[in-house]
Amino acid sequence: MTETEICNYSFVKLAGAGDQITGNSFISDINASDGLSKKCKFLYPICRRKVITDLAVVKSPLRETLKYADLGAEIASASLPETGQYEYAFNVPSDCLVIIDQIAESDLGLEDQSKITRYQFTTILNKVGNGKILLTNSLSNYEGTSAFIRYCIDQTNTGTYSAMMVECISTLLAAELAPVAGKNTQIRRELMVEYKGMVIPDTQGFNQSQQDNFTETKTDYLGGR
C-alpha cells in the first residue's frame, strides 16, 4: 500500500468526506499540488511517527519498526552534559525515533517475553544538540561493556507495513483530517476514541501474537506410510 492509498483509506473512514471546497473525496497523489493532497502530505508523517511512538510506549512495537542495538563504546564524561545519578553514557543510533527499553542482550532468546530483564535509563540531547545520549547505571550487552536496547525507527517504507500498521495510521490520519477536510470535529473525536480504545489495543494483541517464535514440532511416526 502506498502513502497515497493509506491517505485515501483515511477518507473512506470519513465516509467520503473529502475537501468540501473542491468536492474531491480522494487524492490522486500525496505529492500533488491541490489543497487536499497538501493536507495529507503535512499530516501523514506526523501520524506515522505518533503511531510508532504510541506503540513503543506501551511496549508493543510494530515488527516493521523494531531494531536492536549494542550501543558500543561509552562516551567520555568530558563531552557530556550533566548526567545526574547515572554512571554510564552512550550515543543513541541516528535512526532511532524512540527507545522502547534497555534489556539484557542474553535474554533475547527467552520464550517467555515477560521474563526479559529491563533496566532504568533516560535519554538527553548531547552538548551540541544534534544527537541523543542514553544514560544508565547498567551494562546489558553480552560482554558487559555497553548498553543493549530495543528501539523503533521512523519506518517510511510502506512496502513493509502490516495490515495493523496501515489501520493505525489511517485511523489516526482520518481523525486529524476530519476538521480540515470534512469540517467535522465530532467525527474527529469519535475516530480518536476508536484509535485509542480499539485500534491500538488490537494492534498490541497482534504484535504480542507475533512474538511467540517457538512452536512444538511433533514427531511423525508414519514414515512413508
Side-chain angles (χ1 to χ4, degrees):
M1 212 173 203
T2 65
E3 291 181 349
T4 299
E5 289 171 329
I6 294 173
C7 291
N8 284 331
Y9 185 29
S10 297
F11 288 122
V12 170
K13 291 177 179 291
L14 290 173
D19 191 331
Q20 293 191 348
I21 296 175
T22 65
N24 294 331
S25 296
F26 301 102
I27 61 173
S28 60
D29 190 328
I30 194 172
N31 296 306
S33 60
D34 63 281
L36 195 58
S37 298
K38 287 182 177 179
K39 291 167 186 173
C40 290
K41 180 76 171 180
F42 175 73
L43 288 169
Y44 175 84
I46 295 174
C47 292
R48 179 188 66 232
R49 288 190 289 269
K50 179 170 172 53
V51 164
I52 294 170
T53 302
D54 284 348
L55 284 162
V57 167
V58 295
K59 310 296 186 192
S60 186
L62 290 153
R63 302 291 97 189
E64 52 270 45
T65 68
L66 178 63
K67 289 186 75 174
Y68 297 88
D70 180 331
L71 298 187
E74 185 183 358
I75 303 169
S77 58
S79 64
L80 287 168
E82 177 58 48
T83 58
Q85 63 180 341
Y86 294 97
E87 185 176 356
Y88 306 107
F90 302 93
N91 284 315
V92 172
S94 59
D95 64 348
C96 176
L97 175 64
V98 57
I99 296 177
I100 306 164
D101 44 26
Q102 179 189 350
I103 64 174
E105 186 176 8
S106 58
D107 286 351
L108 284 180
L110 285 178
E111 183 172 355
D112 186 348
Q113 297 289 305
S114 67
K115 293 182 179 179
I116 290 179
T117 306
R118 294 177 172 86
Y119 303 93
Q120 183 180 8
F121 70 92
T122 191
T123 54
I124 58 173
L125 286 176
N126 59 23
K127 275 188 174 180
V128 295
N130 63 354
K132 294 178 182 178
I133 293 171
L134 179 137
L135 301 176
T136 181
N137 287 320
S138 304
L139 301 175
S140 59
N141 67 341
Y142 280 130
E143 295 80 13
T145 57
S146 183
F148 188 81
I149 63 169
R150 293 196 307 163
Y151 70 98
C152 288
I153 63 170
D154 183 13
Q155 179 60 268
T156 60
N157 181 2
T158 60
T160 68
Y161 289 4
S162 64
M164 298 309 299
M165 187 165 181
V166 170
E167 189 67 24
C168 285
I169 295 174
S170 61
T171 303
L172 183 59
L173 180 59
E176 298 300 350
L177 283 168
V180 295
K183 303 295 189 295
N184 194 317
T185 55
Q186 177 60 35
I187 290 179
R188 181 186 188 279
R189 286 192 291 270
E190 291 172 358
L191 284 166
M192 287 302 295
V193 169
E194 179 180 343
Y195 171 74
K196 294 177 181 178
M198 293 178 59
V199 176
I200 290 293
D202 284 352
T203 304
Q204 280 183 268
F206 170 78
N207 287 342
Q208 289 163 5
S209 74
Q210 303 307 298
Q211 291 179 5
D212 183 7
N213 297 318
F214 297 84
T215 57
E216 181 182 355
T217 302
K218 295 183 178 178
T219 302
D220 183 0
Y221 294 103
L222 296 178
R225 287 180 291 174

